[in-house]
Amino acid sequence: MKKLLAMVMAMVMVLSAVSFASADTADYTIRIYSNSNSTERVNWLVDAAAKAGFTISIDDNSVISGDTAAIQAANENKDGDILFGLNEIRWSQLINGQYENLAIMDWTPTWAEQVGQYAYPGKAYGLLIQNVLMLYRCDELGTNGQELKFKHWGDIVDCGYTWYRQGKVGGTTNTNINNAMLYAFTDPASPAGGISIDGWKTLWKYCANGIFTGDSYGFDPLNRGDVQVSTFYSSSLYGKIDDAASGSDHPLMGVEAPENWQLVDIEDGTYYIAEYVGVLDREGRTPEETEIVKAFAEWFGSADVQAAWSDEFDSFPCNKAAEEMVYSQTPAIYTLNNCSLTKVEGTDMTYAEYVGAHATEWTNIMTNLGFYWADNNTAPAEPDWDNLDWSVLTQKAE
């Protein structure tokens, strides 16, 4: 439950700005690359940074959209000072040197210990946490009071209820839903991208028997009562429920105390991502300018600023001090088990690292086999699972 009002947050931001204003930071324009760059977020950050004495340059999502575009632009332009957003997959690649023109500087903010496990120590530190959720209606348009409890995300295909599925392979939320679905099927020895054939069969069944209504994400069809079970991302859930009546005659009700909806109880938990901030090593930047950039990163990740950001955009901060400022108790959607940081049996990788190692193969498999068609009338035939050449399917189609 949130406990801060907008006026209180505004006061926090003023006090935060005062503490950084003496750094004479406005003489250098800090170039930022991010995929967390909706127009609202960009405008808020430019304004807040200016009040704190920083001049920043950041493109909104009409120019750069998505994590791939953000990191590719930073790599190609070679003019970045700060990178924030993305997730563990991209940050692991970045810190391991997979981008020829990008390197993260050594940097440890004063608030480093506040973000706990969400850190690449000495390099990048967590800003906010997000996960994907499986929801169901428990009223007469749903399970009529019957509790849904699964061991794995893939159990949805045998749940006996109608469910919504996405209509394309790409996109961060869609990818994270797939990651959650495939978690139970990891097999490092499998030629099918490190996933058992049963995993791909389950994902196909999820797609083939699910309902796609053309909506961007799964909240709206569940809210209308078109389906009984659906998926969504955590950061916008409560805001969507607040406004649910504007899009349905039978809306979901009860924000943090659900009235006619629930989270599916899934033993595995769910797939989390964290967005991080790091300082890029920019050629030609003076030591004095580098200190300005580090001061901005220190300011942006601080508890005061992250509390204000979280309050404004309905997100959940990694910084525990910021969480305590915003919430009187941790919302239920952020208390679920985090499967992304569990170790994959037979490897020394967390599941997030495993996803990073196989993500390209998974995208190629789904694209080559025709997963997530938008029109059921043009659905492809189910693959002949016993006679597939996975060495070809894991490669990009020519």
Side-chain angles (χ1 to χ4, degrees):
M1 179 178 295
K2 283 189 175 181
K3 63 181 182 182
L4 287 178
L5 301 176
M7 186 175 296
V8 176
M9 295 311 302
M11 288 296 295
V12 165
M13 290 300 293
V14 169
L15 293 173
S16 177
V18 168
S19 67
F20 285 88
S22 61
D24 193 22
T25 55
D27 291 340
Y28 181 75
T29 298
I30 300 166
R31 179 60 174 150
I32 298 172
Y33 286 92
S34 178
N35 62 317
S36 186
N37 62 336
S38 65
T39 301
E40 296 80 8
R41 283 173 169 78
V42 166
N43 290 341
W44 187 96
L45 186 57
V46 169
D47 182 62
K51 291 176 181 176
F54 299 102
T55 302
I56 67 172
S57 169
I58 177 173
D59 296 312
D60 69 17
N61 58 11
S62 68
V63 179
I64 293 177
S65 180
D67 61 343
T68 300
I71 202 164
Q72 286 180 347
N75 189 50
E76 292 169 4
N77 295 335
K78 297 183 284 188
D79 63 350
D81 295 299
I82 292 285
L83 192 65
F84 82 86
L86 311 177
N87 59 45
E88 285 86 352
I89 295 173
R90 295 294 185 197
W91 280 100
S92 294
Q93 294 171 344
L94 179 62
I95 289 171
N96 290 331
Q98 294 188 32
Y99 295 90
E100 58 182 340
N101 298 320
L102 297 179
I104 297 295
M105 295 190 69
D106 292 337
W107 167 67
T108 303
T110 60
W111 41 263
E113 293 186 1
Q114 289 289 342
V115 301
Q117 62 187 334
Y118 297 105
Y120 295 88
K123 293 291 186 181
Y125 297 85
L127 296 175
L128 63 88
I129 305 165
Q130 184 162 208
N131 59 44
V132 286
L133 305 167
M134 192 180 294
L135 317 167
Y136 69 100
R137 297 189 70 118
C138 52
D139 57 9
E140 66 278 3
L141 295 178
T143 66
N144 207 25
Q146 183 69 36
E147 180 185 11
L148 278 189
K149 191 171 185 177
F150 301 160
K151 184 174 179 61
H152 310 299
W153 268 65
D155 293 347
I156 189 175
V157 302
D158 297 312
C159 71
Y161 297 101
T162 57
W163 66 84
Y164 180 82
R165 53 88 172 170
Q166 62 260 38
K168 64 178 182 179
V169 170
T172 301
T173 298
N174 294 345
T175 298
N176 292 335
I177 291 169
N178 290 330
N179 296 343
M181 294 286 293
L182 294 173
Y183 170 71
F185 301 99
T186 55
D187 178 1
S190 172
I195 294 295
S196 70
I197 309 304
D198 282 343
W200 293 114
K201 289 180 179 179
T202 299
L203 196 63
W204 185 273
K205 189 174 180 181
Y206 169 70
C207 186
N209 296 341
I211 295 171
F212 176 64
T213 57
D215 295 280
S216 297
Y217 299 104
F219 180 87
D220 291 335
L222 188 70
N223 188 47
R224 293 191 301 263
D226 297 344
V227 295
Q228 296 161 303
V229 187
S230 194
T231 52
F232 199 55
Y233 53 94
S234 57
S235 65
S236 292
L237 177 62
Y238 292 143
K240 292 285 283 186
I241 292 174
D242 268 338
D243 191 46
S246 68
S248 174
D249 293 331
H250 310 283
L252 300 184
M253 297 180 294
V255 177
E256 293 171 10
E259 297 175 28
N260 61 346
W261 64 277
Q262 292 290 338
L263 296 174
V264 179
D265 183 354
I266 305 176
E267 186 176 325
D268 286 340
T270 190
Y271 190 83
Y272 283 73
I273 62 169
E275 296 184 1
Y276 296 77
V277 61
V279 178
L280 289 166
D281 188 3
R282 177 175 175 175
E283 186 176 355
R285 192 174 60 207
T286 68
E288 293 77 14
E289 290 167 344
T290 295
E291 289 306 309
I292 292 173
V293 174
K294 288 183 177 179
F296 171 85
E298 172 77 28
W299 168 82
F300 184 45
S302 66
D304 289 349
V305 178
Q306 283 305 299
W309 178 276
S310 297
D311 186 67
E312 180 72 18
F313 298 112
D314 200 20
S315 57
F316 191 78
C318 293
N319 190 307
K320 295 300 291 183
E323 177 191 342
E324 291 168 3
M325 292 170 68
V326 179
Y327 296 96
S328 57
Q329 62 185 49
T330 303
I333 59 177
Y334 297 108
T335 63
L336 306 174
N337 292 335
N338 182 357
C339 70
S340 69
L341 296 183
T342 61
K343 288 288 185 180
V344 175
E345 188 174 350
T347 77
D348 60 357
M349 292 184 283
T350 65
Y351 185 55
E353 293 169 333
Y354 193 82
V355 170
H358 294 285
T360 299
E361 292 175 305
W362 296 358
T363 297
N364 291 339
I365 288 169
M366 287 185 281
T367 301
N368 288 328
L369 291 178
F371 277 76
Y372 294 121
W373 51 92
D375 183 357
N376 278 334
N377 293 321
T378 60
E382 183 171 359
D384 181 2
W385 300 106
D386 295 327
N387 294 290
L388 295 176
D389 187 345
W390 294 103
S391 66
V392 173
L393 291 171
T394 53
Q395 304 301 310
K396 188 174 182 179
E398 296 182 357

